[in-house]
mmCIF file of all heavy atoms in Angstrom:
data_model
loop_
_atom_site.group_PDB
_atom_site.id
_atom_site.type_symbol
_atom_site.label_atom_id
_atom_site.label_comp_id
_atom_site.label_asym_id
_atom_site.label_seq_id
_atom_site.Cartn_x
_atom_site.Cartn_y
_atom_site.Cartn_z
ATOM 1 N N ASP A 1 126.288 112.928 97.863
ATOM 2 C CA ASP A 1 127.567 113.539 97.520
ATOM 3 C C ASP A 1 127.874 114.765 98.372
ATOM 4 O O ASP A 1 128.926 115.375 98.215
ATOM 5 C CB ASP A 1 127.566 113.945 96.036
ATOM 6 C CG ASP A 1 127.533 112.735 95.114
ATOM 7 O OD1 ASP A 1 127.841 111.627 95.589
ATOM 8 O OD2 ASP A 1 127.160 112.885 93.943
ATOM 9 N N SER A 2 126.971 115.123 99.267
ATOM 10 C CA SER A 2 127.154 116.326 100.078
ATOM 11 C C SER A 2 127.541 115.942 101.506
ATOM 12 O O SER A 2 127.725 114.777 101.828
ATOM 13 C CB SER A 2 125.854 117.136 100.104
ATOM 14 O OG SER A 2 124.898 116.490 100.928
ATOM 15 N N LYS A 3 127.603 116.957 102.363
ATOM 16 C CA LYS A 3 127.920 116.740 103.771
ATOM 17 C C LYS A 3 126.755 116.143 104.547
ATOM 18 O O LYS A 3 126.888 115.868 105.736
ATOM 19 C CB LYS A 3 128.346 118.059 104.421
ATOM 20 C CG LYS A 3 129.594 118.655 103.796
ATOM 21 C CD LYS A 3 130.822 117.772 104.004
ATOM 22 C CE LYS A 3 132.060 118.416 103.415
ATOM 23 N NZ LYS A 3 133.255 117.566 103.610
ATOM 24 N N TYR A 4 125.599 115.947 103.881
ATOM 25 C CA TYR A 4 124.463 115.372 104.566
ATOM 26 C C TYR A 4 124.648 113.883 104.856
ATOM 27 O O TYR A 4 123.983 113.320 105.711
ATOM 28 C CB TYR A 4 123.185 115.544 103.729
ATOM 29 C CG TYR A 4 122.660 116.947 103.694
ATOM 30 C CD1 TYR A 4 122.722 117.698 102.523
ATOM 31 C CD2 TYR A 4 122.088 117.528 104.814
ATOM 32 C CE1 TYR A 4 122.227 118.997 102.478
ATOM 33 C CE2 TYR A 4 121.593 118.821 104.781
ATOM 34 C CZ TYR A 4 121.670 119.544 103.612
ATOM 35 O OH TYR A 4 121.177 120.824 103.580
ATOM 36 N N ASN A 5 125.496 113.206 104.084
ATOM 37 C CA ASN A 5 125.717 111.764 104.252
ATOM 38 C C ASN A 5 124.393 110.993 104.178
ATOM 39 O O ASN A 5 124.161 110.086 104.972
ATOM 40 C CB ASN A 5 126.420 111.467 105.576
ATOM 41 C CG ASN A 5 127.810 112.071 105.642
ATOM 42 O OD1 ASN A 5 128.558 112.044 104.671
ATOM 43 N ND2 ASN A 5 128.164 112.627 106.796
ATOM 44 N N PHE A 6 123.547 111.357 103.235
ATOM 45 C CA PHE A 6 122.269 110.678 103.083
ATOM 46 C C PHE A 6 122.484 109.224 102.671
ATOM 47 O O PHE A 6 123.407 108.911 101.933
ATOM 48 C CB PHE A 6 121.414 111.406 102.039
ATOM 49 C CG PHE A 6 119.996 110.917 101.964
ATOM 50 C CD1 PHE A 6 119.044 111.407 102.831
ATOM 51 C CD2 PHE A 6 119.620 109.955 101.028
ATOM 52 C CE1 PHE A 6 117.726 110.975 102.767
ATOM 53 C CE2 PHE A 6 118.315 109.518 100.963
ATOM 54 C CZ PHE A 6 117.357 110.026 101.831
ATOM 55 N N GLU A 7 121.609 108.337 103.161
ATOM 56 C CA GLU A 7 121.698 106.916 102.830
ATOM 57 C C GLU A 7 120.329 106.407 102.417
ATOM 58 O O GLU A 7 119.310 106.820 102.974
ATOM 59 C CB GLU A 7 122.197 106.092 104.023
ATOM 60 C CG GLU A 7 123.541 106.497 104.562
ATOM 61 C CD GLU A 7 124.722 106.086 103.670
ATOM 62 O OE1 GLU A 7 124.478 105.475 102.607
ATOM 63 O OE2 GLU A 7 125.863 106.374 104.042
ATOM 64 N N ASP A 8 120.322 105.503 101.430
ATOM 65 C CA ASP A 8 119.080 104.816 101.102
ATOM 66 C C ASP A 8 119.374 103.352 100.796
ATOM 67 O O ASP A 8 120.529 102.933 100.685
ATOM 68 C CB ASP A 8 118.381 105.480 99.923
ATOM 69 C CG ASP A 8 119.042 105.182 98.575
ATOM 70 O OD1 ASP A 8 120.273 104.952 98.552
ATOM 71 O OD2 ASP A 8 118.344 105.200 97.540
ATOM 72 N N ILE A 9 118.323 102.558 100.737
ATOM 73 C CA ILE A 9 118.400 101.141 100.367
ATOM 74 C C ILE A 9 117.366 100.944 99.282
ATOM 75 O O ILE A 9 116.160 101.035 99.537
ATOM 76 C CB ILE A 9 118.144 100.230 101.571
ATOM 77 C CG1 ILE A 9 119.177 100.474 102.668
ATOM 78 C CG2 ILE A 9 118.152 98.760 101.151
ATOM 79 C CD1 ILE A 9 118.917 99.678 103.949
ATOM 80 N N ASP A 10 117.810 100.675 98.070
ATOM 81 C CA ASP A 10 116.961 100.682 96.886
ATOM 82 C C ASP A 10 116.843 99.290 96.286
ATOM 83 O O ASP A 10 117.839 98.582 96.166
ATOM 84 C CB ASP A 10 117.544 101.662 95.861
ATOM 85 C CG ASP A 10 116.631 101.913 94.665
ATOM 86 O OD1 ASP A 10 115.508 101.374 94.649
ATOM 87 O OD2 ASP A 10 117.051 102.649 93.771
ATOM 88 N N CYS A 11 115.629 98.922 95.922
ATOM 89 C CA CYS A 11 115.410 97.609 95.312
ATOM 90 C C CYS A 11 115.966 97.515 93.910
ATOM 91 O O CYS A 11 116.392 96.442 93.481
ATOM 92 C CB CYS A 11 113.914 97.301 95.289
ATOM 93 S SG CYS A 11 113.456 95.821 94.365
ATOM 94 N N LEU A 12 115.973 98.615 93.176
ATOM 95 C CA LEU A 12 116.315 98.556 91.755
ATOM 96 C C LEU A 12 117.817 98.419 91.546
ATOM 97 O O LEU A 12 118.603 99.098 92.199
ATOM 98 C CB LEU A 12 115.795 99.788 91.033
ATOM 99 C CG LEU A 12 114.278 100.022 91.087
ATOM 100 C CD1 LEU A 12 113.875 101.112 90.109
ATOM 101 C CD2 LEU A 12 113.489 98.751 90.820
ATOM 102 N N TYR A 13 118.205 97.599 90.595
ATOM 103 C CA TYR A 13 119.623 97.361 90.310
ATOM 104 C C TYR A 13 120.306 98.634 89.821
ATOM 105 O O TYR A 13 121.502 98.826 90.006
ATOM 106 C CB TYR A 13 119.780 96.253 89.268
ATOM 107 C CG TYR A 13 119.380 96.652 87.869
ATOM 108 C CD1 TYR A 13 120.323 97.179 86.978
ATOM 109 C CD2 TYR A 13 118.071 96.519 87.424
ATOM 110 C CE1 TYR A 13 119.951 97.563 85.700
ATOM 111 C CE2 TYR A 13 117.701 96.880 86.155
ATOM 112 C CZ TYR A 13 118.648 97.412 85.287
ATOM 113 O OH TYR A 13 118.275 97.793 84.035
ATOM 114 N N LYS A 14 119.530 99.531 89.213
ATOM 115 C CA LYS A 14 120.098 100.789 88.710
ATOM 116 C C LYS A 14 120.133 101.863 89.800
ATOM 117 O O LYS A 14 120.561 102.990 89.574
ATOM 118 C CB LYS A 14 119.257 101.326 87.544
ATOM 119 C CG LYS A 14 117.869 101.796 87.962
ATOM 120 C CD LYS A 14 117.069 102.369 86.797
ATOM 121 C CE LYS A 14 115.713 102.887 87.258
ATOM 122 N NZ LYS A 14 114.927 103.452 86.164
ATOM 123 N N GLY A 15 119.676 101.517 90.999
ATOM 124 C CA GLY A 15 119.497 102.496 92.051
ATOM 125 C C GLY A 15 120.796 102.975 92.668
ATOM 126 O O GLY A 15 121.891 102.572 92.288
ATOM 127 N N THR A 16 120.636 103.826 93.670
ATOM 128 C CA THR A 16 121.792 104.478 94.292
ATOM 129 C C THR A 16 122.540 103.531 95.221
ATOM 130 O O THR A 16 123.741 103.310 95.058
ATOM 131 C CB THR A 16 121.310 105.723 95.045
ATOM 132 O OG1 THR A 16 120.035 105.441 95.660
ATOM 133 C CG2 THR A 16 121.119 106.887 94.100
ATOM 134 N N ASN A 17 121.850 102.968 96.219
ATOM 135 C CA ASN A 17 122.421 101.897 97.043
ATOM 136 C C ASN A 17 121.629 100.639 96.708
ATOM 137 O O ASN A 17 120.741 100.235 97.456
ATOM 138 C CB ASN A 17 122.295 102.225 98.530
ATOM 139 C CG ASN A 17 123.508 102.954 99.069
ATOM 140 O OD1 ASN A 17 124.600 102.839 98.525
ATOM 141 N ND2 ASN A 17 123.320 103.708 100.129
ATOM 142 N N SER A 18 121.925 100.040 95.609
ATOM 143 C CA SER A 18 121.128 98.906 95.140
ATOM 144 C C SER A 18 121.248 97.727 96.096
ATOM 145 O O SER A 18 122.329 97.298 96.461
ATOM 146 C CB SER A 18 121.584 98.478 93.736
ATOM 147 O OG SER A 18 120.813 97.383 93.293
ATOM 148 N N ALA A 19 120.089 97.222 96.520
ATOM 149 C CA ALA A 19 120.034 96.070 97.444
ATOM 150 C C ALA A 19 118.969 95.100 96.966
ATOM 151 O O ALA A 19 118.132 94.616 97.741
ATOM 152 C CB ALA A 19 119.738 96.547 98.854
ATOM 153 N N GLU A 20 118.987 94.813 95.687
ATOM 154 C CA GLU A 20 117.945 94.019 95.049
ATOM 155 C C GLU A 20 117.735 92.668 95.755
ATOM 156 O O GLU A 20 116.600 92.190 95.859
ATOM 157 C CB GLU A 20 118.325 93.789 93.581
ATOM 158 C CG GLU A 20 117.251 93.103 92.752
ATOM 159 C CD GLU A 20 117.673 92.957 91.313
ATOM 160 O OE1 GLU A 20 118.846 93.228 90.992
ATOM 161 O OE2 GLU A 20 116.818 92.555 90.496
ATOM 162 N N SER A 21 118.781 92.104 96.289
ATOM 163 C CA SER A 21 118.698 90.745 96.860
ATOM 164 C C SER A 21 117.859 90.669 98.135
ATOM 165 O O SER A 21 117.415 89.581 98.508
ATOM 166 C CB SER A 21 120.116 90.217 97.140
ATOM 167 O OG SER A 21 120.757 91.013 98.125
ATOM 168 N N ILE A 22 117.645 91.792 98.827
ATOM 169 C CA ILE A 22 116.910 91.712 100.087
ATOM 170 C C ILE A 22 115.420 91.906 99.900
ATOM 171 O O ILE A 22 114.644 91.834 100.863
ATOM 172 C CB ILE A 22 117.433 92.725 101.126
ATOM 173 C CG1 ILE A 22 117.033 94.160 100.756
ATOM 174 C CG2 ILE A 22 118.941 92.603 101.294
ATOM 175 C CD1 ILE A 22 117.282 95.160 101.875
ATOM 176 N N PHE A 23 114.966 92.166 98.666
ATOM 177 C CA PHE A 23 113.552 92.303 98.367
ATOM 178 C C PHE A 23 113.040 91.042 97.667
ATOM 179 O O PHE A 23 113.804 90.340 97.013
ATOM 180 C CB PHE A 23 113.308 93.518 97.472
ATOM 181 C CG PHE A 23 113.683 94.835 98.116
ATOM 182 C CD1 PHE A 23 115.003 95.291 98.082
ATOM 183 C CD2 PHE A 23 112.722 95.609 98.733
ATOM 184 C CE1 PHE A 23 115.351 96.492 98.659
ATOM 185 C CE2 PHE A 23 113.072 96.825 99.322
ATOM 186 C CZ PHE A 23 114.388 97.278 99.290
ATOM 187 N N PHE A 24 111.752 90.779 97.783
ATOM 188 C CA PHE A 24 111.187 89.567 97.160
ATOM 189 C C PHE A 24 109.727 89.807 96.799
ATOM 190 O O PHE A 24 109.054 90.654 97.390
ATOM 191 C CB PHE A 24 111.320 88.380 98.101
ATOM 192 C CG PHE A 24 110.645 88.551 99.436
ATOM 193 C CD1 PHE A 24 109.308 88.187 99.624
ATOM 194 C CD2 PHE A 24 111.328 89.115 100.508
ATOM 195 C CE1 PHE A 24 108.670 88.361 100.845
ATOM 196 C CE2 PHE A 24 110.696 89.303 101.740
ATOM 197 C CZ PHE A 24 109.364 88.924 101.908
ATOM 198 N N ARG A 25 109.260 89.027 95.840
ATOM 199 C CA ARG A 25 107.854 89.050 95.455
ATOM 200 C C ARG A 25 107.109 88.021 96.306
ATOM 201 O O ARG A 25 107.541 86.880 96.443
ATOM 202 C CB ARG A 25 107.684 88.711 93.977
ATOM 203 C CG ARG A 25 108.322 89.710 93.025
ATOM 204 C CD ARG A 25 107.556 91.022 92.969
ATOM 205 N NE ARG A 25 108.193 91.988 92.068
ATOM 206 C CZ ARG A 25 107.736 93.211 91.887
ATOM 207 N NH1 ARG A 25 106.648 93.626 92.521
ATOM 208 N NH2 ARG A 25 108.360 94.046 91.088
ATOM 209 N N ASP A 26 105.994 88.429 96.888
ATOM 210 C CA ASP A 26 105.210 87.536 97.729
ATOM 211 C C ASP A 26 104.350 86.627 96.873
ATOM 212 O O ASP A 26 103.431 87.072 96.189
ATOM 213 C CB ASP A 26 104.341 88.359 98.675
ATOM 214 C CG ASP A 26 103.522 87.506 99.609
ATOM 215 O OD1 ASP A 26 104.086 87.045 100.630
ATOM 216 O OD2 ASP A 26 102.337 87.265 99.313
ATOM 217 N N GLN A 27 104.657 85.331 96.895
ATOM 218 C CA GLN A 27 103.974 84.387 96.028
ATOM 219 C C GLN A 27 102.500 84.265 96.380
ATOM 220 O O GLN A 27 101.645 84.065 95.501
ATOM 221 C CB GLN A 27 104.646 82.999 96.115
ATOM 222 C CG GLN A 27 104.171 82.033 95.044
ATOM 223 C CD GLN A 27 104.438 82.517 93.634
ATOM 224 O OE1 GLN A 27 105.547 82.968 93.321
ATOM 225 N NE2 GLN A 27 103.433 82.455 92.776
ATOM 226 N N GLY A 28 102.181 84.382 97.665
ATOM 227 C CA GLY A 28 100.773 84.318 98.060
ATOM 228 C C GLY A 28 99.963 85.416 97.424
ATOM 229 O O GLY A 28 98.818 85.189 96.983
ATOM 230 N N ARG A 29 100.518 86.608 97.355
ATOM 231 C CA ARG A 29 99.815 87.710 96.690
ATOM 232 C C ARG A 29 99.688 87.483 95.191
ATOM 233 O O ARG A 29 98.653 87.772 94.598
ATOM 234 C CB ARG A 29 100.520 89.038 96.971
ATOM 235 C CG ARG A 29 100.339 89.562 98.377
ATOM 236 C CD ARG A 29 100.577 91.052 98.471
ATOM 237 N NE ARG A 29 99.975 91.580 99.699
ATOM 238 C CZ ARG A 29 99.728 92.853 99.917
ATOM 239 N NH1 ARG A 29 100.023 93.762 99.005
ATOM 240 N NH2 ARG A 29 99.169 93.251 101.051
ATOM 241 N N ILE A 30 100.754 86.984 94.611
ATOM 242 C CA ILE A 30 100.713 86.697 93.169
ATOM 243 C C ILE A 30 99.611 85.671 92.882
ATOM 244 O O ILE A 30 98.808 85.827 91.958
ATOM 245 C CB ILE A 30 102.076 86.183 92.677
ATOM 246 C CG1 ILE A 30 103.130 87.292 92.804
ATOM 247 C CG2 ILE A 30 101.979 85.683 91.237
ATOM 248 C CD1 ILE A 30 104.532 86.831 92.500
ATOM 249 N N ASN A 31 99.553 84.635 93.693
ATOM 250 C CA ASN A 31 98.537 83.601 93.515
ATOM 251 C C ASN A 31 97.113 84.132 93.739
ATOM 252 O O ASN A 31 96.146 83.611 93.173
ATOM 253 C CB ASN A 31 98.781 82.427 94.471
ATOM 254 C CG ASN A 31 100.083 81.700 94.171
ATOM 255 O OD1 ASN A 31 100.644 81.833 93.080
ATOM 256 N ND2 ASN A 31 100.574 80.934 95.126
ATOM 257 N N SER A 32 97.009 85.162 94.569
ATOM 258 C CA SER A 32 95.697 85.745 94.877
ATOM 259 C C SER A 32 95.250 86.766 93.843
ATOM 260 O O SER A 32 94.154 87.332 93.964
ATOM 261 C CB SER A 32 95.716 86.389 96.255
ATOM 262 O OG SER A 32 95.995 85.437 97.266
ATOM 263 N N GLY A 33 96.104 87.053 92.863
ATOM 264 C CA GLY A 33 95.724 87.941 91.788
ATOM 265 C C GLY A 33 96.095 89.391 91.975
ATOM 266 O O GLY A 33 95.623 90.269 91.228
ATOM 267 N N TYR A 34 96.954 89.687 92.961
ATOM 268 C CA TYR A 34 97.433 91.060 93.123
ATOM 269 C C TYR A 34 98.258 91.459 91.887
ATOM 270 O O TYR A 34 98.991 90.640 91.325
ATOM 271 C CB TYR A 34 98.337 91.188 94.352
ATOM 272 C CG TYR A 34 97.627 91.354 95.669
ATOM 273 C CD1 TYR A 34 97.074 90.265 96.339
ATOM 274 C CD2 TYR A 34 97.524 92.614 96.261
ATOM 275 C CE1 TYR A 34 96.432 90.412 97.561
ATOM 276 C CE2 TYR A 34 96.883 92.776 97.498
ATOM 277 C CZ TYR A 34 96.331 91.678 98.125
ATOM 278 O OH TYR A 34 95.703 91.824 99.342
ATOM 279 N N ALA A 35 98.131 92.715 91.472
ATOM 280 C CA ALA A 35 99.005 93.228 90.425
ATOM 281 C C ALA A 35 100.452 93.149 90.907
ATOM 282 O O ALA A 35 100.729 93.283 92.109
ATOM 283 C CB ALA A 35 98.638 94.679 90.094
ATOM 284 N N MET A 36 101.376 92.936 89.985
ATOM 285 C CA MET A 36 102.770 92.684 90.351
ATOM 286 C C MET A 36 103.357 93.829 91.186
ATOM 287 O O MET A 36 104.155 93.582 92.103
ATOM 288 C CB MET A 36 103.606 92.467 89.098
ATOM 289 C CG MET A 36 104.988 91.913 89.375
ATOM 290 S SD MET A 36 104.954 90.288 90.191
ATOM 291 C CE MET A 36 104.255 89.263 88.888
ATOM 292 N N GLU A 37 102.957 95.078 90.919
ATOM 293 C CA GLU A 37 103.527 96.204 91.657
ATOM 294 C C GLU A 37 103.067 96.237 93.122
ATOM 295 O O GLU A 37 103.571 97.044 93.901
ATOM 296 C CB GLU A 37 103.213 97.535 90.984
ATOM 297 C CG GLU A 37 101.745 97.776 90.734
ATOM 298 C CD GLU A 37 101.309 97.333 89.350
ATOM 299 O OE1 GLU A 37 101.938 96.429 88.785
ATOM 300 O OE2 GLU A 37 100.345 97.916 88.823
ATOM 301 N N HIS A 38 102.137 95.373 93.502
ATOM 302 C CA HIS A 38 101.667 95.311 94.878
ATOM 303 C C HIS A 38 102.198 94.078 95.618
ATOM 304 O O HIS A 38 101.685 93.723 96.676
ATOM 305 C CB HIS A 38 100.139 95.294 94.927
ATOM 306 C CG HIS A 38 99.494 96.400 94.160
ATOM 307 N ND1 HIS A 38 100.024 97.658 94.078
ATOM 308 C CD2 HIS A 38 98.361 96.422 93.393
ATOM 309 C CE1 HIS A 38 99.237 98.426 93.325
ATOM 310 N NE2 HIS A 38 98.234 97.689 92.898
ATOM 311 N N THR A 39 103.237 93.469 95.092
ATOM 312 C CA THR A 39 103.723 92.206 95.671
ATOM 313 C C THR A 39 105.151 92.275 96.204
ATOM 314 O O THR A 39 105.687 91.261 96.639
ATOM 315 C CB THR A 39 103.659 91.074 94.623
ATOM 316 O OG1 THR A 39 104.573 91.374 93.547
ATOM 317 C CG2 THR A 39 102.240 90.915 94.076
ATOM 318 N N LEU A 40 105.770 93.456 96.174
ATOM 319 C CA LEU A 40 107.179 93.562 96.555
ATOM 320 C C LEU A 40 107.320 93.792 98.058
ATOM 321 O O LEU A 40 106.721 94.711 98.621
ATOM 322 C CB LEU A 40 107.855 94.695 95.793
ATOM 323 C CG LEU A 40 109.369 94.816 96.001
ATOM 324 C CD1 LEU A 40 110.079 93.624 95.375
ATOM 325 C CD2 LEU A 40 109.899 96.112 95.424
ATOM 326 N N PHE A 41 108.134 92.944 98.705
ATOM 327 C CA PHE A 41 108.313 93.010 100.164
ATOM 328 C C PHE A 41 109.791 92.898 100.515
ATOM 329 O O PHE A 41 110.632 92.528 99.705
ATOM 330 C CB PHE A 41 107.554 91.866 100.843
ATOM 331 C CG PHE A 41 106.081 92.054 100.939
ATOM 332 C CD1 PHE A 41 105.265 91.862 99.824
ATOM 333 C CD2 PHE A 41 105.495 92.448 102.128
ATOM 334 C CE1 PHE A 41 103.892 92.046 99.900
ATOM 335 C CE2 PHE A 41 104.117 92.632 102.218
ATOM 336 C CZ PHE A 41 103.312 92.422 101.111
#
């Protein structure tokens, strides 16, 4: 909201510049037993 013109790309739908569609869960990691929070790409 300032003169900095800051930009971000956020995975969360509630986020500032929400871009949920460009992120995905890696199925190979899920199959290998990674915790869900370690599978976002």
Side-chain angles (χ1 to χ4, degrees):
D1 293 342
S2 74
K3 298 296 182 180
Y4 287 111
N5 297 319
F6 189 84
E7 302 286 0
D8 75 332
I9 299 175
D10 188 3
C11 172
L12 300 191
Y13 72 91
K14 69 177 182 179
T16 38
N17 269 335
S18 180
E20 186 178 9
S21 63
I22 73 168
F23 297 84
F24 58 89
R25 296 288 179 182
D26 181 81
Q27 191 60 48
R29 286 202 162 197
I30 294 173
N31 295 343
S32 298
Y34 278 80
M36 192 61 67
E37 54 267 27
H38 308 324
T39 64
L40 186 68
F41 284 77

